[in-house]
Amino acid sequence: MTPPIQKILIPRDRLETRINELAQEISRNYPGEELVLVSILKGSVVFLTALMKELDLDVEIGFLYLSSYQGETLPQSEVRHYIIPFPDIENRHVLLIEDIFDTGASLAYAWDLCKKKNPRSLKTCVLLLKEGIERPQSIPLPPIDYCGFTVPNEYVVGFGLDYKEKYRQLPCIAVPVLD
Ligand code: 5GP
Ligand code: MG
């Protein structure tokens, strides 16, 4: 069963092409190095698997479970994190993988958490960047080193992103029918 969508913003072939380009750029930037990909669950897992298959590098993967949307479309004020097995990243190159940069609070949280573990380098890779967002001045936001696409300020789903835990398996980025 396919949940109802209003419109497709980014079709499957454009996602594939852009992810291949990102993978080539990342591979060029770490010649002969090993890279730890830290994926922020659950939304970025589809992006992680698509990206890592195209990387011409030795990679290790790790996960961080952050949650700021509790199954609805309104953000919570606080980001939470859950402890799951996490690789030792001290003195290693780390690339944080995030599905979407909205307020930036989740990536800022993950960035601080990784930074405290003294990686050799820390960069960020987001599939989607939301335009037209008022981002809080109170939190320092991490730089976005690699970005797939910008999207308008709408609630989007697909390619890992959910609405009430549905739509994650859609192979495109779409605007859902919200209830
Ligand atoms: P931020 O902390 O940047 O405000 O939000 C990041 C997290 O909120 C993302 O990792 C994602 O899980 C969720 N999020 C933000 N915007 C959207 C959206 O448009 N659609 C979906 N499905 N999740 C979103
Ligand atoms: Mg997320």
Side-chain angles (χ1 to χ4, degrees):
M1 203 192 95
T2 312
I5 56 174
Q6 284 184 44
K7 61 180 170 194
I8 293 178
L9 289 183
I10 311 171
R12 181 183 205 147
D13 57 338
R14 279 186 63 214
L15 282 166
E16 278 172 14
T17 305
R18 181 68 188 127
I19 291 170
N20 283 349
E21 285 171 7
L22 285 174
Q24 284 172 21
E25 193 186 338
I26 294 165
S27 300
R28 277 198 303 274
N29 290 345
Y30 296 88
E33 303 278 357
E34 192 194 39
L35 186 59
V36 185
L37 302 170
V38 173
S39 157
I40 302 177
L41 293 174
K42 304 176 202 172
S44 77
V45 78
V46 177
F47 179 37
L48 168 79
T49 52
L51 183 75
M52 68 186 285
K53 283 187 281 191
E54 305 303 325
L55 288 174
D56 188 18
L57 296 170
D58 287 339
V59 296
E60 191 175 323
I61 57 173
F63 298 94
L64 258 180
Y65 188 8
L66 301 185
S67 172
S68 62
Y69 281 71
Q70 289 292 297
E72 298 292 340
T73 54
L74 294 173
Q76 287 184 175
S77 51
E78 267 182 42
V79 177
R80 303 173 185 183
H81 87 271
Y82 303 82
I83 303 295
I84 51 175
F86 191 78
D88 179 10
I89 59 168
E90 185 170 348
N91 204 27
R92 301 173 76 189
H93 293 297
V94 175
L95 184 62
L96 269 170
I97 309 289
E98 174 66 312
D99 50 6
I100 187 164
F101 191 97
D102 185 356
T103 64
S106 302
L107 199 63
Y109 187 98
W111 171 274
D112 288 346
L113 204 129
C114 288
K115 202 77 193 167
K116 287 193 188 112
K117 297 177 185 288
N118 297 318
R120 186 162 159 204
S121 70
L122 181 59
K123 303 269 184 200
T124 64
C125 179
V126 304
L127 180 62
L128 307 173
L129 169 65
K130 261 195 201 178
E131 289 178 317
I133 296 282
E134 295 238 346
R135 300 201 161 88
Q137 304 285 312
S138 49
I139 23 169
L141 295 177
I144 300 174
D145 298 293
Y146 305 95
C147 176
F149 299 88
T150 54
V151 285
N153 188 6
E154 289 187 85
Y155 194 81
V156 299
V157 294
F159 218 76
L161 288 148
D162 74 309
Y163 173 54
K164 296 186 179 176
E165 292 301 323
K166 296 211 162 37
Y167 297 91
R168 292 194 195 276
Q169 82 275 26
L170 276 187
C172 58
I173 297 293
V175 178
V177 174
L178 301 175
D179 52 45

